[in-house]
Amino acid sequence: MANKPTSQKVTFRALLRGNVGALAGTSFLNDTASEMAYPLLPLFLVGVLGAGPAFLGVVEGIAESTASLAKLGGGVLSDRLGRRKALLVWGYGVAALARPLLALAAAPWHVLAVRFTDRIGKGIRSAPRDALLVDSTPPDRKGTAFGLHRAADHAGSVLGPLLAAGLLLLVPGNLRLVFALTAVPGLLTVMVLVRGVKEAAATPPTGPDTPAPAGSLREMGPAFPRYLAVLLLFTLGNASDAFLLLRAQDLGVPAAALPLLWGTLHVSKMLWNLPGGMLADRLRPLRLILGGWLVYALVYGGFALADSSWEVWALFSIYGLFHGLTESPEKALVAELAPAHLRARAFGAFHFAIGLGALPASLLFGLLWQWKGAPAAFWVGACLALASALLLPLALQGAEVGTPP
């Protein structure tokens, strides 16, 4: 036990030198490309193409639900093949090709088509990537590995909006040029992935004749499907963050500042992700997740009550704490509950459960906004988060996930 700190220090450096570092670099570049465009989509859809909040909800709901369906399939396929990297290359490549096509959109449904294609790529790569991170990481460093990866991901989400804001200062109002230039970091993403990521020693493939998903959740024990059910409930109150940008506009944040506001959110996410992952390794994930869901409820209540632009900036900054306390711990909990030979499938099911709630969540939020106003929509999200926080410990009863190792 006396050597544990030294071992952890060496392991941390090894994480940066190996697949975790390479996958972090890949996500950094990919999110740079993605977040150059994403903060501008509400303005583009509503202000340029003439869509309304409800259609924004349709676009984001379909996009995320599509990604989740593909994540389930990607996880099953990865476990059957016993390979991860090829699916990553395919998934990141599709997104890199689709994203710049936003520059050609002439109608709202064009944006829907591009987002649909982009999310197919995200779906195919997500479960194999998460499984590869676990395959490449010592058991006591899973949270740290996910924290590093998510911190790099959010660092790209900081750089992307800054690049978009700089371009809009040079060419005011030219959103299409910003969309087209996402091709540059997209291409770099695929190059880093191909050269830097190596196939890890995963579990043997289960083969094409192996019975697939029906028995898989049962093999993972009763706590895992209950965990997914509570995640689904929480997700029903977790609408697309695009609505936060729309709320920011309503409260007086100018359009030119939206990329900077989005960048502020991702700075907060980036700063909290690594501590959140490391705490998950020390305290176990459940406590972090519960804390994060409580922060979410408070922030959504804040958006319901806010009446000025300075409050928006404060709430966006605090909202990053929710992500830091949940993103890595939620995945670390999946790794604790799932058998090794079903690892990618478990991550696929995890992402699928979240995405299954994405479409109704965003549709509900958009309809509530148009029917009863923004505060009512945010209050519903806050209440669902509180209900989920109360149910999660009950769902995990009998699983040894609540106490430190």
Side-chain angles (χ1 to χ4, degrees):
M1 296 297 292
N3 294 330
K4 189 173 182 180
T6 303
S7 173
Q8 286 192 346
K9 183 177 181 181
V10 172
T11 302
F12 187 85
R13 292 176 178 174
L15 291 178
L16 292 175
R17 291 196 300 266
N19 272 351
V20 175
L23 287 168
T26 299
S27 284
F28 168 74
L29 289 166
N30 181 72
D31 262 57
T32 298
S34 180
E35 300 302 330
M36 286 174 66
Y38 184 75
L40 300 174
L41 281 184
L43 176 62
F44 187 62
L45 271 170
V46 176
V48 177
L49 300 181
F55 189 80
L56 177 62
V58 170
V59 170
E60 291 307 306
I62 289 178
E64 295 309 319
S65 293
T66 298
S68 297
L69 286 169
K71 287 170 185 175
L72 185 62
V76 172
L77 183 59
S78 180
D79 278 341
R80 286 188 168 181
L81 296 175
R83 301 178 63 185
R84 320 292 193 200
K85 182 176 176 178
L87 294 173
L88 299 188
V89 174
W90 195 91
Y92 280 109
V94 166
L97 290 173
R99 200 178 294 116
L101 296 179
L102 287 169
L104 304 177
W109 72 266
H110 295 164
V111 175
L112 175 60
V114 172
R115 287 284 289 160
F116 176 84
T117 306
D118 174 78
R119 296 295 92 175
I120 286 284
K122 179 179 178 62
I124 290 295
R125 71 183 183 248
S126 293
R129 180 204 61 215
D130 290 344
L132 183 57
L133 278 167
V134 178
D135 293 341
S136 308
T137 306
D140 63 340
R141 304 295 276 171
K142 294 188 298 290
T144 302
F146 283 120
L148 280 168
H149 178 262
R150 295 304 299 160
D153 188 276
H154 291 307
S157 298
V158 173
L159 179 59
L162 290 176
L163 291 174
L167 287 168
L168 290 176
L169 287 174
L170 293 173
V171 284
N174 197 339
L175 304 182
R176 296 181 187 275
L177 177 61
V178 177
F179 296 151
L181 289 176
T182 63
V184 178
L187 176 61
L188 291 174
T189 298
V190 179
M191 291 174 61
V192 169
L193 174 61
V194 170
R195 294 176 61 88
V197 175
K198 296 177 173 60
E199 196 72 66
T203 55
T206 56
D209 298 325
T210 302
S216 298
L217 289 182
R218 289 195 293 271
E219 280 191 61
M220 295 175 198
F224 186 72
R226 293 200 301 260
Y227 172 45
L228 297 187
V230 178
L231 278 174
L232 176 59
L233 176 65
F234 175 79
T235 304
L236 289 174
N238 185 14
S240 168
D241 286 347
F243 288 107
L244 302 185
L245 295 171
L246 204 58
R247 180 65 167 156
Q249 285 183 272
D250 283 353
L251 293 173
V253 176
L258 291 179
L260 296 178
L261 181 63
W262 196 245
T264 298
L265 171 60
H266 284 283
V267 167
S268 180
K269 289 182 182 181
M270 177 183 67
L271 293 176
W272 284 110
N273 262 117
L274 183 55
M278 295 177 73
L279 283 172
D281 286 333
R282 291 180 176 274
L283 303 177
R284 290 292 175 89
L286 175 59
R287 296 173 181 176
L288 279 296
I289 296 169
L290 293 176
W293 287 359
L294 292 176
V295 170
Y296 180 93
L298 290 172
V299 169
Y300 259 48
F303 275 111
L305 296 172
D307 59 6
S308 62
S309 61
W310 74 264
E311 293 171 286
V312 171
W313 289 92
L315 288 167
F316 265 75
S317 300
I318 299 169
Y319 190 51
L321 175 59
F322 151 69
H323 289 275
L325 292 176
T326 57
E327 287 181 341
S328 300
E330 285 175 359
K331 292 182 178 182
L333 184 53
V334 172
E336 284 193 18
L337 293 171
H341 69 288
L342 296 175
R343 185 168 287 152
R345 189 171 295 164
F347 280 113
F350 163 78
H351 289 297
F352 175 73
I354 292 173
L356 187 64
L359 177 57
S362 291
L363 285 174
L364 174 66
F365 201 94
L367 290 172
L368 277 173
W369 187 311
Q370 289 194 177
W371 180 38
K372 291 292 186 179
F378 280 103
W379 280 124
V380 169
C383 290
L384 287 173
L386 289 174
S388 301
L390 291 173
L391 290 173
L392 185 59
L394 299 176
L396 295 178
Q397 275 188 343
E400 296 181 4
V401 296
T403 57

